[in-house]
Amino acid sequence: MNAAALMLRVRIAAMRLGAAGCIALAVLLAGAAALAWSLKARQLAYEPLPPAPAQLTQAAPPPTANENLAHFYDTLGEKRHAEQQVKQLFDIAAKTGLALDQGDYKFSVDKASRVAAYQVTLPVKGAYQNIWQFSLQALTAIPFASLDDIAFRRETISEPVVEARLRFTLYLKDKP
């Protein structure tokens, strides 16, 4: 039987069924296809998983509290070098083009944790971008420092020079 004769038979059968019969037949065929697909998916779901590759290993156990505490103390700066760290802040300010006259310093010790905090408040003048560069470079150069406060002030909106007050805290330990 050729394709033209087959098409003619399909058209005649469709005319005999009518519109409702054709829709019902299409729904029946779609349902059969969905059923076949879901049976295949269910069969695949029950197949066992392949074994894990040999190169995968278990993750290292998380550090203990004592290891975390030791790491914390290792990252602190040394109290005896606090003045050098302040000098480094002044050097970074000069490198970034900021005017830095003098700072305020406050030293405190928490006896329970054996950690010293050296607060350095620096009033600086310069371009806004330079102040941010100074802040980021200082935090990168001194990893045991934190930028606790930053305040900006400008006399007029059109003035390019910004006055800022930055407060860093250096966290220090007594002995290496």
Side-chain angles (χ1 to χ4, degrees):
M1 180 180 290
N2 63 14
L6 182 62
M7 287 301 292
L8 181 61
R9 286 184 183 221
V10 168
R11 279 183 153 168
I12 292 172
M15 287 180 162
R16 284 187 187 159
L17 286 174
C22 287
I23 292 173
L25 183 62
V27 168
L28 181 68
L29 290 175
L35 179 64
W37 176 79
S38 68
L39 289 175
K40 182 68 175 171
R42 181 176 283 176
Q43 181 183 10
L44 290 175
Y46 288 115
E47 287 183 6
L49 293 175
Q55 71 267 19
L56 291 180
T57 60
Q58 284 189 336
T64 64
N66 288 337
E67 290 171 338
N68 279 336
L69 187 61
H71 180 68
F72 170 74
Y73 282 113
D74 288 343
T75 57
L76 297 177
E78 292 183 26
K79 191 168 143 181
R80 62 184 173 156
H81 299 300
E83 291 81 18
Q84 292 173 357
Q85 304 305 326
V86 172
K87 183 185 178 308
Q88 191 174 9
L89 286 173
F90 276 80
D91 292 344
I92 294 171
K95 250 196 305 189
T96 55
L98 296 178
L100 179 61
D101 295 330
Q102 67 179 18
D104 295 326
Y105 311 99
K106 181 182 170 188
F107 191 79
S108 63
V109 176
D110 183 5
K111 291 181 182 180
S113 65
R114 301 182 328 258
V115 174
Y118 193 48
Q119 284 189 346
V120 181
T121 303
L122 302 172
V124 296
K125 290 182 184 178
Y128 182 79
Q129 181 65 31
N130 293 2
I131 294 170
W132 279 112
Q133 284 178 352
F134 165 68
S135 302
L136 293 175
Q137 287 179 17
L139 292 173
T140 302
I142 307 170
F144 48 88
S146 67
L147 178 60
D148 299 331
D149 186 35
I150 186 166
F152 295 98
R153 183 170 171 246
R154 188 181 288 192
E155 291 296 325
T156 64
I157 198 164
S158 62
E159 189 164 338
V161 177
V162 178
E163 294 177 24
R165 196 182 109 258
L166 295 95
R167 188 177 74 221
F168 290 95
T169 301
L170 308 177
Y171 295 97
L172 310 166
K173 61 185 172 185
D174 275 333
K175 297 178 184 175

